[in-house]
């Protein structure tokens, strides 16, 4: 081992001191965070701190509190400076479009530092032991604890045994939601909401509370809380769309697209629309649809339909079994009309048409007009919109333009090719006997070949978004002729030319021409060096003898996608390309818009709705 120099030793001492400082600072921050964090107890939600046994606090705590306030003011100042920087960046146009949209639609309440509160499950014996250590802050007497059950949650009251003063009561600290008929407490609302999200009913909640040894509400209270959760959710969601989403969309259209409202204050926007059902197939009893702005991705409006009401079904069965009288049923029916989930009668597939008519019909109430409709290949909703007002549309003086979702158009190629393979699979007689004519298999329309053709078709559309219909159509036909070419009949006229072309044939031709030009240049330089006149030089563009070259053209059988069919079958594939390369269809794909926001919203609602269970509240959520 060699000696260590003094510089290295000093450097090591400095690094060690820096590490000690960092660890000490980190520990101080963690202790401050632990002191600032507020924790709620599940038995006493939103409860305040218990009274301290002594009226005065020691002076070191006061100094610590002052340091905490100083740090909080510093963090507030830093957050304000960051927000000012972000606003300046937005106004100056420095940020990217995605970052702009995030900051543009960020509400003022999100930037505030909100207190994080949690709920805990605590045994009653632990609370009794804790209160035994407490004494009255006035007479220093012993205290007792009493409990009041209210549905799922419980309230705690601490009273002094000597002076009988109420030292602590968690019930006034809770801020319940009050209506004309009942008071709703937040913890019980959260428990009912969790049951609704997971598709659980009252029986499941009762079993869970029994397993945890927690007091549970009765069935009537559960139904009242469930209806209240639905009404509160709908009220808050529609208020958010009306007060935040629509103004943000109007601001974005004015600043980024230079599109402003008309004299009536109504703005024309481009939207995507798609419906979703609770279960797959056309037998679902629940359906929903949403209108989402195509540029910002914000939800503008939504609605739901239901063909079933669990309460109506239950009361009808009770009436049939004569558990209730007809008069009782009629009286219940009148009270239940405002809360009934049944709002649609018909087939499940017709829900999307009804929802489209409802959403387009009330769009002017929120001062927007859906003039560009981006949807999938299903035109039933679009046809239903065109039939409103005696085939004049929902807006008599404004026509709705239909645009295609390029993701759905992209999938049409694969669907059509698979259907063609199934249809053309049949038996026919030959000299050797009966053989089966199959389009799928090696060298034909196998599944990997179909997937490649579908991806080529989608790429041809996406590469020409914002261009012309002619270029998009040329790119689509180039993929067809490229994949159906052979060594004897190469058809690469529509493929791009040059050394950087994706077409291996045109790329090979370009390299071959480059090699010939290089050889011709070397030949001319050689002749000039020998002193021959330029007139005797052989020009490449005249009629020269073909120079000997070592370049060999590649074979079409080595292509990634190659299939060879009979002429009759190839004509069927060509007819399919003619239909999917129609100019009217490609014209509706030039914007390059998709229904990805709707699909993302559907996946989120499916995750909350639990597709394998029936949630009666989904029709109003």
């Amino acid at each position: 081992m060699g000696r260590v120099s003094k510089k290295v030793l000093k450097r090591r001492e400095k690094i060690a001191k820096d590490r000690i400082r960092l660890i000490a600072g980190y520990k101080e921050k963690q202790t401050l965070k632990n002191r600032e964090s507020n924790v709620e107890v599940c038995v006493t939600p939103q409860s305040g701190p218990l009274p301290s046994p002594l009226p005065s606090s020691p002076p070191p705590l006061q100094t610590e509190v002052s340091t905490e306030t100083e740090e909080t003011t510093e963090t507030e100042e830093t957050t304000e400076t960051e927000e000012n920087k972000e606003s300046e960046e937005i106004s100056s146009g420095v940020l990217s479009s995605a970052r702009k949209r995030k900051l543009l639609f960020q509400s003022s309440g999100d930037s505030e530092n909100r207190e994080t509160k949690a709920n805990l499950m605590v045994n009653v014996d632990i609370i009794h032991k804790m209160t035994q250590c407490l004494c009255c802050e006035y007479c220093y007497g012993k205290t007792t604890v009493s409990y009041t059950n209210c549905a799922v949650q419980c309230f705690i009251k601490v009273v002094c045994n000597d002076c009988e003063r109420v030292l602590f009561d968690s019930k006034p600290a809770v801020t319940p939601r009050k209506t004309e008929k009942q008071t709703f407490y937040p913890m019980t609302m959260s428990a009912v909401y969790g049951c609704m999200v997971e598709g659980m009913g009252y029986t499941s909640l009762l079993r869970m509370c029994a397993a945890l040894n927690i007091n549970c509400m009765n069935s009537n209270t559960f139904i009242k809380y469930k209806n209240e959760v639905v009404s509160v959710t709908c009220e808050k969601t529609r208020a958010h769309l009306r007060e935040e989403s629509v103004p943000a969309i109007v601001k974005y259209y004015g600043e980024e697209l230079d599109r402003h409202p008309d004299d009536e204050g109504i703005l024309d926007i481009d939207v995507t629309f798609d419906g979703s059902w609770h279960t797959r197939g056309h037998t679902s009893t629940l359906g929903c649809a949403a209108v989402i702005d195509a540029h910002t991705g914000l939800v503008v409006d939504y609605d739901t339909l239901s063909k079933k009401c669990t309460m109506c079904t239950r009361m009808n069965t009770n009436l049939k079994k004569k558990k209730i009288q007809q008069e009782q049923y009629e009286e219940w029916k009148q009270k239940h009309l405002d809360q009934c989930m049944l709002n649609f009668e018909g087939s499940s597939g017709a829900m999307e048409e009804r929802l489209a008519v409802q959403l387009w019909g009330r769009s002017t109430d929120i001062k927007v007009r859906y003039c560009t409709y981006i949807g999938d290949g299903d035109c039933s909703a679009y046809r239903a919109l065109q039939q409103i007002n005696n085939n004049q549309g929902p807006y008599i003086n404004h026509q709705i333009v239909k645009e295609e979702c390029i993701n759905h158009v992209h999938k049409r190629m694969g669907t059509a090719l698979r259907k063609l393979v199934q249809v053309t699979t049949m038996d026919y007689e030959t000299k050797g006997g009966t053989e089966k004519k199959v389009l799928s298999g090696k060298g034909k329309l196998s599944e990997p070949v179909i997937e490649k053709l579908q991806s080529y078709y989608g790429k041809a559309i996406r590469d020409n978004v914002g261009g012309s219909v002619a270029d998009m159509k040329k790119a689509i036909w180039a993929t067809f002729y490229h994949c159906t070419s052979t060594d004897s009949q190469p058809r690469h006229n529509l493929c791009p030319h040059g050394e950087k072309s994706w077409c291996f044939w045109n790329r090979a031709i370009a390299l071959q021409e480059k090699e010939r030009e290089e050889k011709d240049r070397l030949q001319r330089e050689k002749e000039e060096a020998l002193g021959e006149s330029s007139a005797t030089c052989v020009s490449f563009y005249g009629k020269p003898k073909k120079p000997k070259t070592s370049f060999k053209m590649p074979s079409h059988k080595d292509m990634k996608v190659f299939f060879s069919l009979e002429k009759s079958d190839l004509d069927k594939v060509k007819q399919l390309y003619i239909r999917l390369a129609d100019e009217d269809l490609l014209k509706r794909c030039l914007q390059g818009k998709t229904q990805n926001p709707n699909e993302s919203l559907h996946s989120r609602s499916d995750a909350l709705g639990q597709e394998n269970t029936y949630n009666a509240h989904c029709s109003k959520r």
Side-chain angles (χ1 to χ4, degrees):
M1 296 289 291
R3 291 185 178 180
V4 182
S5 62
K6 293 182 179 180
K7 291 183 179 180
V8 175
L9 290 174
K10 288 182 179 179
R11 193 179 302 165
R12 288 179 181 177
E13 289 177 1
K14 187 178 180 182
I15 292 171
K17 289 179 181 179
D18 292 340
R19 286 179 180 175
I20 292 169
R21 289 174 186 171
L22 288 173
I23 292 169
Y26 177 76
K27 288 182 178 179
E28 289 179 1
K29 289 181 181 179
Q30 288 296 112
T31 54
L32 291 174
K33 286 182 180 178
N34 294 332
R35 289 173 184 173
E36 291 176 355
S37 62
N38 297 324
V39 180
E40 289 186 4
V41 182
C42 181
V43 182
T44 60
Q46 297 183 0
S47 59
L50 292 173
S52 59
L54 297 175
S56 62
S57 57
L61 290 176
Q62 294 179 0
T63 56
E64 289 180 2
V65 171
S66 63
T67 55
E68 288 177 7
T69 53
E70 288 177 1
E71 288 185 359
T72 52
T73 53
E74 288 178 0
T75 53
E76 288 176 357
E77 290 177 359
T78 54
T79 53
E80 288 179 359
T81 54
E82 288 177 358
E83 289 177 359
N84 294 331
K85 286 181 181 180
E86 289 176 351
S87 61
E88 290 175 0
E89 288 177 347
I90 292 173
S91 60
S92 60
V94 175
L95 296 176
S96 60
S97 59
R99 179 65 174 160
K100 272 185 184 180
R101 278 178 275 176
K102 287 181 181 179
L103 296 174
L104 184 65
F105 310 134
Q106 191 175 17
S107 60
S108 60
D110 295 339
S111 59
E112 298 177 358
N113 295 326
R114 300 178 179 177
E115 296 180 355
T116 57
K117 298 182 179 181
N119 301 316
L120 297 175
M121 278 187 171
V122 181
N123 196 346
V124 179
D125 296 336
I126 297 174
I127 298 176
H128 275 295
K129 291 179 181 179
M130 289 174 60
T131 53
Q132 286 176 1
C133 303
L134 299 177
C135 61
C136 179
E137 62 181 346
Y138 300 100
C139 65
Y140 297 95
K142 293 184 178 181
T143 59
T144 57
V145 182
S146 60
Y147 305 96
T148 304
N149 292 323
C150 184
V152 175
Q153 66 191 67
C154 177
F155 299 108
I156 296 178
K157 189 176 182 180
V158 182
V159 182
C160 178
N161 295 335
D162 297 337
C163 63
E164 297 182 354
R165 290 184 179 180
V166 179
L167 303 177
F168 174 75
D169 191 0
S170 64
K171 195 169 184 178
V174 178
T175 55
R177 177 182 173 86
K178 295 182 179 180
T179 58
E180 296 179 357
K181 299 181 180 180
Q182 192 173 354
T183 302
F184 298 95
Y185 293 97
M187 280 297 299
T188 309
M189 292 272 284
S190 301
V192 174
Y193 176 74
C195 293
M196 295 166 69
V197 168
E198 292 298 324
M200 297 165 55
Y202 174 72
T203 306
S204 301
L205 179 63
L206 190 64
R207 291 174 181 173
M208 185 177 66
C209 291
L212 296 172
N213 198 13
I214 297 175
N215 183 46
C216 188
M217 68 192 86
N218 56 29
S219 59
N220 293 330
T221 307
F222 181 81
I223 293 171
K224 290 178 182 178
Y225 268 89
K226 187 175 71 172
N227 294 332
E228 185 65 18
V229 168
V230 171
S231 62
V232 170
T233 306
C234 293
E235 180 183 346
K236 288 185 177 181
T237 304
R238 297 196 183 282
H240 176 81
L241 297 179
R242 182 176 60 256
E243 297 172 3
E244 296 189 16
S245 293
V246 175
I249 291 170
V250 173
K251 184 178 179 181
Y252 182 85
Y253 272 73
E255 294 180 356
E256 301 294 333
L257 304 178
D258 196 17
R259 195 186 301 181
H260 304 279
D262 56 6
D263 298 336
E264 298 177 358
I266 300 175
L267 177 66
D268 297 342
I269 63 175
D270 308 331
V271 298
T272 63
F273 173 79
D274 192 21
S276 178
W277 288 263
H278 185 244
T279 56
R280 293 184 180 274
H282 298 283
T283 59
S284 178
T285 57
L286 296 175
C288 64
V291 175
I292 301 177
D293 182 65
H295 299 283
T296 62
L298 295 175
V299 178
V300 185
D301 198 2
Y302 75 99
D303 208 344
T304 55
L305 294 177
S306 175
K307 298 196 298 181
K308 183 180 179 181
C309 180
T310 53
M311 291 299 299
C312 292
T313 305
R314 186 183 303 171
M315 295 301 291
N316 288 328
T317 54
N318 292 338
L319 182 64
K320 289 180 181 179
K321 293 180 180 179
K322 297 183 179 180
K323 292 183 178 180
I324 57 174
Q325 300 295 327
Q326 184 68 31
E327 296 177 356
Q328 296 176 348
Y329 176 79
E330 294 295 336
E331 183 180 356
W332 172 85
K333 191 71 175 176
Q334 292 296 327
K335 296 180 180 179
H336 178 67
L337 287 176
D338 297 335
Q339 300 175 354
C340 185
M341 301 293 180
L342 180 63
N343 56 4
F344 179 75
E345 293 181 359
S347 63
S348 300
M351 287 184 177
E352 189 174 8
E353 302 174 15
R354 174 73 67 82
L355 290 168
V357 172
Q358 291 180 2
L359 294 174
W360 258 260
R362 67 190 189 198
S363 64
T364 54
D365 296 340
I366 55 177
K367 300 300 180 180
V368 290
R369 194 183 291 115
Y370 315 138
C371 289
T372 303
Y373 166 42
I374 301 169
D376 50 15
D378 185 13
C379 299
S380 58
Y382 181 67
R383 286 195 297 267
L385 292 174
Q386 294 295 327
Q387 294 173 2
I388 302 175
N389 296 328
N390 297 325
N391 297 326
Q392 294 182 358
Y395 318 119
I396 298 176
N397 298 326
H398 296 79
Q399 187 179 2
I400 300 175
V401 180
K402 175 71 164 59
E403 297 288 341
E404 294 290 340
C405 170
I406 59 175
N407 286 340
H408 286 82
V409 175
H410 162 84
K411 294 176 183 177
R412 291 185 194 179
M413 177 61 71
T415 304
L417 288 172
R418 292 183 186 95
K419 188 176 180 180
L420 180 64
V421 170
Q422 294 176 359
V423 170
T424 54
T425 301
M426 57 184 178
D427 297 336
Y428 69 101
E429 295 183 358
T430 59
K431 294 181 179 179
T434 304
E435 295 181 358
K436 197 170 185 181
K437 183 181 180 183
V438 183
L439 286 182
S440 61
K442 187 176 180 180
K444 296 182 181 179
L445 288 176
S446 60
E447 186 62 28
V449 172
I450 291 175
E451 291 179 358
K452 284 289 185 181
L453 291 175
Q454 177 179 330
S455 64
Y456 293 165
Y457 176 74
K459 190 176 186 304
I461 293 175
R462 288 183 175 86
D463 290 346
N464 293 277
V465 167
S468 62
V469 177
D471 294 339
M472 189 179 292
K473 188 174 183 179
K474 179 182 177 182
I476 292 171
W477 280 110
T479 60
F480 172 75
Y481 288 116
H482 175 84
C483 296
T484 56
S485 297
T486 59
D487 293 338
S488 58
Q489 292 182 348
R491 296 183 288 182
H492 302 278
N493 297 329
L494 298 178
C495 298
H497 300 273
E499 300 177 11
K500 296 182 180 181
S501 174
W502 54 261
C503 176
F504 77 102
W505 189 265
N506 288 342
R507 187 169 62 251
I509 292 175
L511 292 174
Q512 188 177 14
E513 289 180 355
K514 184 178 180 180
E515 185 178 352
R516 287 177 181 175
E517 290 177 358
E518 183 68 19
K519 285 194 174 185
D520 183 62
R521 185 181 64 80
L522 293 174
Q523 183 67 23
R524 282 183 293 183
E525 290 179 357
K526 184 178 179 181
E527 290 176 355
E528 288 176 0
L530 293 174
E532 297 181 2
S533 61
S534 60
T536 59
C537 293
V538 180
S539 176
F540 175 77
Y541 300 98
K543 293 182 180 180
K545 295 181 180 179
K546 290 185 179 180
K548 294 181 180 180
T549 177
S550 60
F551 194 88
K552 184 179 179 181
M553 293 298 291
S555 175
H556 285 78
K557 293 183 179 180
D558 298 333
M559 288 194 303
K560 293 181 180 179
V561 180
F562 172 76
F563 64 96
S564 179
L565 302 175
E566 297 181 4
K567 189 177 182 305
S568 58
D569 297 333
L570 193 61
D571 291 339
K572 294 179 181 179
V573 178
K574 190 174 182 179
Q575 291 296 325
L576 189 149
Y577 268 82
I578 291 173
R579 178 170 61 86
L580 293 178
D582 184 57
E583 292 186 358
D584 294 335
L585 174 64
L586 300 181
K587 188 177 181 181
R588 297 194 295 268
C589 299
L590 287 177
Q591 285 194 9
K593 298 297 182 181
T594 64
Q595 284 184 325
N596 290 342
N598 294 83
E599 300 296 339
S600 177
L601 181 64
H602 294 165
S603 64
R604 178 63 177 163
S605 62
D606 292 343
L608 290 174
Q610 296 292 321
E611 288 192 355
N612 57 346
T613 57
Y614 177 79
N615 293 333
H617 68 281
C618 289
S619 60
K620 282 193 175 182
R621 188 182 65 186

